[in-house]
Amino acid sequence: MQDYKTHYQNSLKDPESFWMEQAKKIDWFVPPQQGLSTDEKGFYRWFKGGKLNTSYLALDYHVNNGRAEQTAIIYESPVTYESQSYTYQEVLEETELLAGLLKDQGIEKGDTVVIYMPMIPQVVFAMLACARLGAIHSVVFGGFAARELALRIDDANPKLILTASGGVEIKRVIQYKPLIDEAIELARHKVEKVIVWQRPFVKAGMKEGRDFDWAALLKKSKPCKYVALDATDPLYILYTSGTTGKPKGIIRDNGGHAVALKYSMTYVYGVDPGEVYWAASDVGWIVGHSYIVYAPLLHGCTTVLFEGKPIRTPDAGTFWRIVQDHQIRVLFTAPTAFRAIKKVDPSGVKHQRFDTSSLRNVFLAGERCDVATYEWLKQLLEVEIIDHWWQSESGWPMISNSLGYEAFPVKPGSATLPVCGYDIQILDQDGAEQAPNIDGTVAIKLPLPPGCLPTLWKNDERFKASYLSRYPGYYLAGDGGYKDEDGYIFITGRIDDVINVAGHRLSTADIEEVVAAHQAVAECAVIGVANELKGQVPLGFVVLKGGVTISEEDLEYELIRMVRKEVGPVASFKQVIIAKRLPKTRSGKILRSTMRAIADDRPYSMPSTIEDPAVLDELKDLIALKDISQE
Ligand code: COA
Ligand code: AMP
């Protein structure tokens, strides 16, 4: 077993040599001669000059090297009662044909393609087909509403959208096509073509001349070969929530991404090629991009595409059944999934029906793992549970127990130690390192390792302002935390207005924009409050316009509908409180962090800048009346 500490020190002392060594583990068309460089804008770039193709590495390489008959994708869909497997050869054939289809539709290197699809195999083919051509995909999560999709269309400017006629949410069919039609209507950028995968249980209406049937076009298409791309060419854009209503377009390159993900499978997850790896998430999130699609396939593993929920599809035994049926080695999901299972099956009766002995480890991320869930799961499964911390921006783990090295003892509540390549520091207000056990801001000394975002899509200024300007020479992660005397890092939560709802990253500013648009609302604040199941949920505070009379119940109903329609059901916006006024500083800034502390019943210090301290007592009374723990 290799020594983590030596590797980690080497990765910081000489990142160039460390990552050039790792880069040898992928099959470049032209290997890079250089690890790290800076581009014309002064941003760090990895492996400039190297040439590769991510779709080739994920498929052709394995087919050419003895894995053609190995299962690449297992599709498990308890909501449609389907279960299917695809070998590497089959996925390659599907991807080649779809790439041919896209090429016939005029898609070429550098074009952007939006993908808005449920968890079906075609979404994986779509991502890999884009990658094959050098087209930049942008997958948008299906739980986002038309307005959110339109925002992303306007930023990414896709030539074409790939979609499906619908998806299934537990027992409810979601029609995707009306959402696509509405988003195209709302967007300023006009999308020329929409290609629709028709699912048997829901038929999409088609607009003549713009919408085309995926299956019919495939029949006419010819397999298409991969193109050689520069390591620094973008592979995809993934939009993520920031502190404003406008999402940030995270760019991922091809070279750094492939090297980093390959490294992570061996050294972080401790997985071997040929093993079955299951990330129970959605391709619309970074976990899905990296650990449902790219990393397992780059590493020659079998990946599982799960169209369902941990409970009610059909019950809380679903996860355990899939682990047993497919001999899953590593399972990765958000803690909220296990909280959901624990809530309905606290004593693990459903688990007893299945043999989950194939499981070596469970990895958790997306939100803080509470100690109670950690203990419950560890006792139930009798394997080590690894909480690890990372973000859309990094694309792969930043703090983890790296299982390819010797494992460290777990301290519940901590994601353990920095992953190789990440010089993670806890800084105080002035940028000095905090002493052990003192809370501060999580920052990462530049350069970031391969795979991390080089900048934001068409927005270098926002990239600098959001991540680089707070502490020069460091990347600002947006989370708070502390290190203990052994260097273990404990993440305590976001330091901005980003919230995590059932492992889904959302912006309260985005929800606030919608609430503020209601005709009765004079001003509002949306904050994330603690929730037993989902970790956090948004809670709206509203001050009515003078002269308006509306009951809290009616306003709540209308606002919930508006947020579902404009942001999407995934926001889980379910509660509204009407207040006479909001707590503000003398300069008029809403004291959101104090409101959060009050709602979560946490201690807080009276802000010295508060306009009128009495407003906090009013707020406490209103919150007590509402009983926000119900939702
Ligand atoms: N398309 C359309 N609607 C969607 C959707 C999608 N892809 N995904 C979620 N929604 C809807 C849900 O149907 C739900 O609607 P409802 O309010 O009408 O019930 C709403 O958005 C909220 O969804 P969700 O947060 O998933 O709540 P849930 O009650 O359906 O399930 C959990 C709760 C905890 C079981 C579920 O969130 C879960 O399994 N999370 C696990 C981890 C995960 O996927 N994390 C992502 C990043 S790692
Ligand atoms: P996303 O970009 O959607 O992956 O969300 C990233 C954010 O989720 C981080 O900035 C954290 O706030 C939170 N997060 C992810 N993993 C963890 C974890 N293991 N512990 C605590 N918070 C986490």
Side-chain angles (χ1 to χ4, degrees), residues 17-241:
S17 308
F18 184 89
W19 290 110
M20 283 298 273
E21 194 55 36
Q22 294 306 324
K24 290 184 190 153
K25 298 180 182 161
I26 63 165
D27 190 29
W28 299 84
F29 303 143
V30 178
Q33 298 305 314
Q34 184 186 12
L36 192 62
S37 58
T38 44
D39 64 14
E40 62 292 349
K41 300 171 195 161
F43 297 142
Y44 289 110
R45 304 306 309 253
W46 282 97
F47 309 123
K48 187 164 175 278
K51 289 206 178 282
L52 76 169
N53 182 287
T54 301
S55 181
Y56 163 85
L57 291 173
L59 302 174
D60 309 61
Y61 173 79
H62 300 304
V63 168
N64 300 341
N65 287 276
R67 295 193 188 279
E69 297 312 315
Q70 181 192 312
T71 302
I73 300 174
I74 296 165
Y75 168 54
E76 268 287 347
S77 175
V79 291
T80 58
Y81 309 101
E82 277 177 274
S83 176
Q84 263 169 279
S85 293
Y86 294 80
T87 63
Y88 269 97
Q89 177 69 41
E90 287 166 339
V91 179
L92 174 60
E93 284 166 15
E94 296 281 357
T95 302
E96 282 180 315
L97 265 191
L98 185 55
L101 179 163
L102 291 174
K103 199 168 169 207
D104 292 344
Q105 299 303 317
I107 298 297
E108 50 191 45
K109 182 183 165 197
D111 288 338
T112 50
V113 172
V114 160
I115 301 175
Y116 185 74
M117 293 180 68
M119 290 284 288
I120 55 176
Q122 285 68 27
V123 76
V124 183
F125 309 151
M127 292 164 77
L128 294 168
C130 290
R132 202 161 187 81
L133 297 173
I136 305 160
H137 63 69
S138 185
V139 181
V140 178
F141 176 59
F144 279 128
R147 169 181 158 277
E148 292 290 330
L149 181 56
L151 280 173
R152 288 154 176 80
I153 289 173
D154 275 337
D155 201 67
N157 292 172
K159 241 187 182 172
L160 181 149
I161 297 181
L162 289 165
T163 192
S165 54
V168 187
E169 275 297 300
I170 306 194
K171 299 221 159 14
R172 180 165 53 104
V173 170
I174 314 281
Q175 293 204 34
Y176 276 41
K177 193 57 192 351
L179 295 167
I180 294 275
D181 293 341
E182 190 186 342
I184 292 177
E185 196 62 34
L186 287 171
R188 284 186 313 278
H189 170 78
K190 285 302 154 213
V191 179
E192 290 161 26
K193 287 176 185 165
V194 180
I195 316 270
V196 187
W197 179 260
Q198 297 279 11
R199 301 191 74 185
F201 55 86
V202 50
K203 184 125 184 85
M206 306 289 269
K207 189 169 168 207
E208 182 79 33
R210 188 198 68 188
D211 302 342
F212 300 90
D213 184 78
W214 183 315
L217 291 181
L218 265 191
K219 284 197 187 118
K220 292 187 253 164
S221 104
K222 293 197 181 50
C224 176
K225 208 178 155 172
Y226 47 82
V227 299
L229 298 170
D230 289 329
T232 50
D233 281 337
L235 170 66
Y236 66 76
I237 311 164
L238 176 62
Y239 287 92
T240 190
S241 299

Side-chain angles (χ1 to χ4, degrees), residues 286 366-368 387-392 479 494 500 505:
I286 187 60
E367 49 160 352
R368 200 181 149 268
D387 179 11
H388 66 326
W389 174 84
W390 53 291
Q391 311 176 304
S392 303
D479 283 55
R494 295 289 303 191
N500 253 292
R505 176 167 161 181

Side-chain angles (χ1 to χ4, degrees), residues 255-463:
H257 176 249
V259 172
L261 292 193
K262 176 88 181 134
Y263 168 85
S264 73
M265 290 301 276
T266 305
Y267 290 98
V268 178
Y269 296 99
V271 179
D272 289 328
E275 293 190 319
V276 191
Y277 180 99
W278 178 23
S281 176
D282 188 288
V283 282
W285 305 101
I286 187 60
V287 173
H289 276 65
S290 295
Y291 293 102
I292 295 175
V293 182
Y294 286 112
L297 297 181
L298 285 166
H299 200 49
C301 287
T302 298
T303 188
V304 181
L305 195 67
F306 174 61
E307 188 181 28
K309 302 258 173 175
I311 51 171
R312 298 177 61 202
T313 59
D315 61 27
T318 299
F319 271 29
W320 316 134
R321 199 253 317 149
I322 293 176
V323 168
Q324 171 188 277
D325 288 358
H326 302 296
Q327 295 292 290
I328 309 289
R329 285 298 168 134
V330 168
L331 167 60
F332 170 6
T333 191
T336 188
F338 293 118
R339 287 196 298 268
I341 296 174
K342 178 168 142 235
K343 200 170 168 193
V344 293
D345 185 21
S347 50
V349 173
K350 300 277 183 209
H351 176 257
Q352 282 164 15
R353 300 205 322 241
F354 303 100
D355 174 6
T356 58
S357 59
S358 63
L359 259 190
R360 212 162 39 217
N361 292 107
V362 172
F363 280 78
L364 299 173
E367 49 160 352
R368 200 181 149 268
C369 177
D370 55 287
V371 175
T373 303
Y374 167 83
E375 301 287 3
W376 177 82
L377 199 55
K378 188 165 162 45
Q379 204 181 11
L380 186 79
L381 299 178
E382 296 175 350
V383 298
E384 201 48 89
I385 311 299
I386 310 292
D387 179 11
H388 66 326
W389 174 84
W390 53 291
Q391 311 176 304
S392 303
E393 286 83 345
S394 65
W396 64 288
M398 299 196 276
I399 305 175
S400 185
N401 213 330
S402 291
L403 299 188
Y405 304 102
E406 82 286 11
F408 285 81
V410 168
K411 295 190 189 184
S414 169
T416 316
L417 298 167
V419 170
C420 285
Y422 291 100
D423 186 355
I424 301 189
Q425 302 187 9
I426 306 295
L427 303 183
D428 68 12
Q429 286 288 344
D430 304 320
E433 264 209 87
Q434 285 285 33
N437 298 311
I438 308 286
D439 208 12
T441 302
V442 181
I444 305 165
K445 201 157 188 300
L446 299 174
L448 295 172
C452 297
L453 79 172
T455 183
L456 293 175
W457 179 249
K458 290 193 203 146
N459 210 336
D460 297 331
E461 287 316 309
R462 190 172 182 196
F463 174 64

Side-chain angles (χ1 to χ4, degrees), residues 514-537:
V514 178
V515 174
H518 190 284
Q519 55 189 9
V521 174
E523 62 175 341
C524 65
V526 175
I527 59 168
V529 295
N531 179 270
E532 214 185 310
L533 173 65
K534 298 197 174 186
Q536 276 185 307
V537 288

